[in-house]
Amino acid sequence: MRRLALALSLLMPIAIDGLLLAKSFETFPEVMLAEGKISTKTIHLENIEELSEAVRKAEEAWEYEKAIRLLQKILTLEKQEFGHDHPDVASTLMWLARLYKKQGLDQQAEEHFQRALAILERTVGKDHPDVANTLLQLGGLYQRQGLDQQAEEAYLRVLAILEKTVGKDHPDVATTLLQLGGLYQDQGLDQQAEEAYLRALAIEEKTVGKDHPDVARTLVWLAGLYQRQGLYQQAEEAYLRALGILEKTVGKDHPEVATTLLWLGGLYKEQGLYQQAEEAYLRALGIQEKTVGKDHPDVAITLNRLGELYTVQSEHKLAAISHRKSIKMSLDLMKREIPFIAISNRQFFSKIIDDDLPQITYAVAPKSKEGTKLALFLRLNRQGLSEEIERKQSKFSFLEGPSRELANEIKVMTQKLSSINLSREEHKRLTLRKEIAEKELYRLLPEIKIPFVKIDEIAKTLPQEGVLVEYQRYMELDSQKELQFGEDHYLAMTLNSNGEIKVVDLGLATLIEGKVQRALVSSEEGLEDAQQLWNEVGDLIIKPLEDAIGDAETLFISPDAELNRVPFAALSSHKDDQLLGETINIRLLTTGRELIQLAKKSKFEAQQPLVIANPSFNSIKVSPLEQPSELIVSNFSQQRSGDLDSFIWSPLPGTSKEGKTITKLIDAQLLMQEEATALTVQEQGTSKVLHIASHAYFLPDQKHKK
């Protein structure tokens, strides 16, 4: 229900009156100030205006960290110019709050909304429309968090203020009623929701006219409520009336017409009127491709709906075609945008994309050949995608030039952030600086191209006696006809060198994860039943794959979710009473996509073994008399290995003999003294054997200082 209301809200952008969205800050012209040619106030206001434009551009480009940094400078200027309690300061706090809300940082958003509210209540009064606007935004935040009581209190207070100040029939009252109606709909309070929607509709018809686009948007909200109640005739009438208004006012090929067609198509699908639903979806798709382009995210969503329609009709081939297009478009968006987003925000952005991917893909995988292929295609191309982008960027960042300088700066900041002695404010400031530097670095790096992989490409990389196993946590489909999802399950998808795919539902995720957790605890505590518990895990996630694994000699495993914590070699095997690690070779992968790179590397497998021995540890040379005979620890202030720079390491002359002996035995390349550096080892690439004879030291954990 909550998703329905949020989706409907896309049709009705909420206007915020009285918000000053124009501010800025750059470098002060100090010479002109000294000569008395311009006033400080003029400079402040001009710079606020300039910076405001920069903030808007940053926000449009998803550069939220930059926008926040600039807004914080605006805030400082405004406090200097107007004092801490001024409506302009409140407006900037509101802007900051909305940016935090967009990033999913609800705690920071609420804090800034509350600060803005307090300032406005003191400066313009508790019953001012600007206070109502702030409360409306705060109520929306509470509603998103599921804090229904706080949201309702905020909305009701907004209504009271607006009815008192602008009148009961003002369009802003209608806007608030729509939000309140959406909240009631989320709670299943259908009568209250309908009353709010109908009152909003009456206000809009009276103030802006019966054929205004705002009326159409309100009708869509009302239709959604009727649809949820099963009042299909009323819902259809409302949708069709909204459609007629929009076609007359904004045009038949407008994106809002396409959005309304999507909801109408959903209504028809729910009633089993599949032909009408398909017509609505296809018309919406045509409008979107014409107006926003064939690669727009809205097109991916429409293709998803179309795929779901074909799924409920068991038209699995058509469903797979639509869903495959949608998947490729969504993942293309991820590949295009993630390289320019700070690492700290990538997970949030990725979740947005994942929510748009067809959730049904894994649930229907066993039902058809097309569904099976699509599920494996999605897993192979989505799993580990963000990490792969980050790895490629990391390699590019060490190329000569400005990018390398920025990469070094980021490395230094990362090391500083690992310190337990940083104050909260220092940590926050340094984190922001690091995010800004990351985005600047990513703009300098070459374009990252990650092509889609095909299943047959992966199959060709597998050895003849090898099998790939891709695990996936997913929501089970309780009803295909109604597209109702149930509890989470685990799915196993296998692929062999012949291109044969098999899909096995392994059962409830809670059962499997409970077994894994008990086995981990038992192993950590050294209990006698640890092996028996791991055997039980094997019975759940390996034994069901017996037919798919067959007589394979190597198993390439790509785990998911809690299965990443499983020691697969210690599990019971798919045959006999042996452990899995005793019966078959196991290779763990982040994703089966890695097999392509591994196959390329294997062509250069003949690289010489490498031996590292007796390195020159310390950059400062000391005389033999001054050299310590053992490790001297100069500082235990931190717990991370970055502190090893402050240690003095004694030489290990015995390792020279060890290194020379090993080199002769395996015909290796030997690096000693000044040649034995971490950088030199990295430059050697992959070696068949790497033997290091050196110190090893682990710092004890330190308690965090409060």
Side-chain angles (χ1 to χ4, degrees):
M1 287 186 291
R2 194 172 300 277
R3 272 187 88 176
L4 174 63
L6 289 174
L8 285 168
S9 68
L10 296 175
L11 291 167
M12 188 206 65
I14 296 174
I16 303 297
D17 297 331
L19 291 182
L20 303 178
L21 301 180
K23 314 170 186 246
S24 191
F25 172 77
E26 290 293 341
T27 305
F28 292 119
E30 297 177 358
V31 175
M32 296 186 74
L33 269 176
E35 295 176 357
K37 293 183 178 179
I38 54 177
S39 69
T40 306
K41 185 173 183 178
T42 302
I43 292 170
H44 283 186
L45 294 177
E46 287 180 354
N47 285 310
I48 285 172
E49 291 293 331
E50 291 172 7
L51 229 193
S52 164
E53 186 61 29
V55 173
R56 277 193 289 270
K57 289 180 180 178
E59 188 174 359
E60 289 173 1
W62 284 64
E63 297 176 343
Y64 294 141
E65 297 83 9
K66 180 180 179 181
I68 288 171
R69 174 173 60 93
L70 296 175
L71 280 171
Q72 287 169 340
K73 290 182 178 180
I74 291 172
L75 205 57
T76 301
L77 263 184
E78 287 176 334
K79 288 177 180 178
Q80 291 173 354
E81 188 63 46
F82 308 119
H84 286 68
D85 272 1
H86 191 277
D88 282 8
V89 173
S91 296
T92 303
L93 287 168
M94 285 279 289
W95 203 350
L96 277 165
R98 290 198 302 276
L99 286 175
Y100 285 128
K101 184 180 176 182
K102 283 185 177 182
Q103 293 177 286
L105 303 173
D106 289 354
Q107 184 177 345
Q108 291 95 317
E110 181 183 0
E111 178 187 334
H112 284 75
F113 279 137
Q114 291 284 11
R115 286 171 59 190
L117 182 64
I119 292 171
L120 290 172
E121 288 179 334
R122 288 194 297 267
T123 56
V124 299
K126 292 186 177 182
D127 291 335
H128 194 278
D130 286 353
V131 171
N133 289 329
T134 307
L135 284 165
L136 191 63
Q137 293 279 3
L138 192 56
L141 180 67
Y142 288 144
Q143 184 176 352
R144 186 173 81 172
Q145 294 175 296
L147 302 173
D148 294 338
Q149 184 177 344
Q150 292 96 313
E152 183 181 14
E153 290 172 357
Y155 291 148
L156 290 175
R157 188 178 163 198
V158 171
L159 276 179
I161 294 171
L162 293 176
E163 289 174 349
K164 181 179 179 181
T165 56
V166 298
K168 292 185 177 182
D169 290 336
H170 194 276
D172 286 353
V173 173
T175 297
T176 307
L177 284 166
L178 286 175
Q179 288 296 103
L180 184 61
L183 175 66
Y184 288 144
Q185 186 172 339
D186 283 350
Q187 296 174 283
L189 303 173
D190 292 347
Q191 183 177 344
Q192 291 95 316
E194 184 180 10
E195 290 172 359
Y197 291 155
L198 289 174
R199 186 183 162 199
L201 185 63
I203 292 171
E204 289 171 337
E205 289 179 335
K206 181 179 179 180
T207 56
V208 296
K210 292 185 177 182
D211 289 336
H212 193 277
D214 286 351
V215 172
R217 294 166 190 139
T218 302
L219 283 166
V220 171
W221 283 68
L222 187 60
L225 175 65
Y226 289 147
Q227 181 178 343
R228 194 176 70 80
Q229 294 176 291
L231 303 173
Y232 296 132
Q233 184 177 344
Q234 292 96 313
E236 183 181 14
E237 289 172 358
Y239 281 136
L240 289 175
R241 185 185 163 198
L243 196 61
I245 293 171
L246 291 171
E247 288 177 336
K248 184 166 39 174
T249 55
V250 298
K252 291 186 177 182
D253 289 337
H254 193 277
E256 280 196 72
V257 172
T259 303
T260 307
L261 284 165
L262 280 181
W263 289 109
L264 181 61
L267 174 68
Y268 289 142
K269 181 182 70 176
E270 197 170 312
Q271 296 176 83
L273 303 173
Y274 298 138
Q275 184 176 344
Q276 291 96 313
E278 184 178 17
E279 289 172 359
Y281 286 155
L282 289 175
R283 187 183 161 200
L285 186 64
I287 293 170
Q288 290 170 331
E289 290 180 339
K290 182 178 178 180
T291 56
V292 298
K294 293 185 177 181
D295 295 328
H296 195 276
D298 288 351
V299 175
I301 292 172
T302 303
L303 285 166
N304 265 352
R305 301 281 180 86
L306 198 55
E308 290 172 353
L309 174 65
Y310 293 138
T311 299
V312 300
Q313 299 176 79
S314 297
E315 296 282 355
H316 295 297
K317 189 171 184 178
L318 290 174
I321 291 171
S322 291
H323 281 149
R324 187 182 180 92
K325 289 179 182 177
S326 175
I327 288 167
K328 294 187 74 172
M329 290 171 63
S330 296
L331 294 185
D332 269 334
L333 177 64
M334 182 178 283
K335 294 173 187 178
R336 189 167 64 245
E337 295 296 331
I338 276 189
F340 302 101
I341 298 175
I343 291 174
S344 58
N345 290 328
R346 290 183 180 184
Q347 186 174 359
F348 178 70
F349 179 81
S350 297
K351 186 180 184 307
I352 295 173
I353 300 296
D354 286 336
D355 287 344
D356 286 340
L357 290 170
Q359 303 298 316
I360 200 172
T361 302
Y362 297 115
V364 299
K367 296 184 182 296
S368 69
K369 184 178 179 181
E370 293 80 14
T372 297
K373 286 184 176 180
L374 183 64
L376 185 56
F377 173 83
L378 174 56
R379 171 72 188 183
L380 289 171
N381 284 282
R382 171 62 186 96
Q383 176 67 8
L385 183 56
S386 300
E387 293 80 0
E388 184 173 351
I389 290 171
E390 189 174 336
R391 282 196 302 271
K392 288 179 180 291
Q393 284 187 314
S394 178
K395 290 180 180 179
F396 283 141
S397 66
F398 288 100
L399 297 173
E400 292 295 337
S403 61
R404 186 164 188 172
E405 294 174 11
L406 268 173
N408 288 333
E409 287 180 24
I410 293 168
K411 182 180 178 181
V412 170
M413 285 188 277
T414 302
Q415 291 173 342
K416 288 181 180 178
L417 283 168
S418 69
S419 170
I420 62 173
N421 296 320
L422 276 181
S423 68
R424 182 178 177 181
E425 284 303 313
E426 288 174 322
H427 193 280
K428 186 177 178 181
R429 179 180 55 81
L430 196 58
T431 299
L432 184 59
R433 277 181 54 201
K434 178 172 174 281
E435 289 174 349
I436 293 167
E438 284 175 349
K439 298 197 82 168
E440 290 176 2
L441 170 63
Y442 300 150
R443 289 193 194 94
L444 294 172
L445 299 181
E447 181 184 358
I448 291 176
K449 294 183 179 180
I450 302 177
F452 284 97
V453 298
K454 298 178 181 178
I455 294 173
D456 57 357
E457 288 181 86
I458 303 295
K460 289 176 183 177
T461 65
L462 287 166
Q464 189 172 358
E465 300 301 327
V467 172
L468 169 66
V469 181
E470 292 275 357
Y471 289 100
Q472 178 68 44
R473 199 179 198 269
Y474 77 102
M475 283 190 296
E476 183 195 26
L477 193 63
D478 278 351
S479 169
Q480 179 175 308
K481 188 173 182 181
E482 283 81 28
L483 294 182
Q484 292 178 349
F485 291 94
E487 296 185 80
D488 281 8
H489 281 223
Y490 274 98
L491 193 72
M493 294 169 279
T494 66
L495 176 69
N496 63 24
S497 59
N498 295 324
E500 183 183 7
I501 307 169
K502 291 187 179 180
V503 178
V504 180
D505 186 329
L506 301 174
L508 285 170
T510 51
L511 174 63
I512 293 171
E513 290 170 356
K515 291 277 188 184
V516 171
Q517 182 60 33
R518 286 192 290 275
L520 284 168
V521 171
S522 186
S523 296
E524 289 168 1
E525 296 179 0
L527 302 180
E528 293 182 359
D529 65 345
Q531 185 56 59
Q532 176 57 37
L533 290 171
W534 286 122
N535 288 344
E536 292 175 9
V537 173
D539 290 342
L540 292 174
I541 67 173
I542 296 296
K543 190 71 173 176
L545 308 182
E546 183 174 359
D547 289 342
I549 297 174
D551 296 323
E553 296 176 359
T554 304
L555 211 55
F556 298 90
I557 299 176
S558 171
D560 190 40
E562 287 299 296
L563 300 191
N564 281 290
R565 305 174 69 194
V566 171
F568 281 88
L571 303 184
S572 56
S573 173
H574 54 295
K575 57 183 180 181
D576 304 326
D577 295 325
Q578 294 177 292
L579 299 181
L580 187 63
E582 296 172 340
T583 61
I584 197 168
N585 296 318
I586 299 173
R587 296 286 301 274
L588 290 180
L589 306 169
T590 301
T591 165
R593 200 168 59 249
E594 292 176 356
L595 288 168
I596 293 176
Q597 284 300 114
L598 290 172
K600 290 178 181 177
K601 288 181 179 179
S602 67
K603 295 177 182 179
F604 306 98
E605 190 79 339
Q607 288 192 9
Q608 193 176 14
L610 181 63
V611 175
I612 309 295
N614 194 24
S616 294
F617 297 108
N618 304 305
S619 58
I620 301 175
K621 293 184 178 180
V622 293
S623 68
L625 293 175
E626 295 172 323
Q627 284 185 349
S629 59
E630 59 185 3
L631 177 67
I632 299 175
V633 181
S634 61
N635 182 6
F636 268 126
S637 63
Q638 299 174 357
Q639 69 180 64
R640 299 193 181 251
S641 58
D643 280 322
L644 298 182
D645 291 340
S646 62
F647 296 164
I648 300 173
W649 300 88
S650 61
L652 294 172
T655 61
S656 294
K657 183 177 181 181
E658 176 185 339
K660 292 175 182 177
T661 303
I662 297 294
T663 298
K664 290 180 180 179
L665 287 173
I666 61 175
D667 189 24
Q669 178 186 3
L670 176 63
L671 298 178
M672 296 196 301
Q673 298 294 324
E674 285 77 12
E675 290 184 339
T677 65
L679 182 60
T680 306
V681 173
Q682 291 171 0
E683 290 173 346
Q684 299 301 309
T686 304
S687 300
K688 292 175 68 174
V689 177
L690 175 62
H691 180 91
I692 300 176
S694 177
H695 279 295
Y697 190 83
F698 300 91
L699 287 169
D701 287 340
Q702 305 294 305
K703 292 183 179 180
H704 284 265
K705 295 182 180 179
K706 296 183 179 179

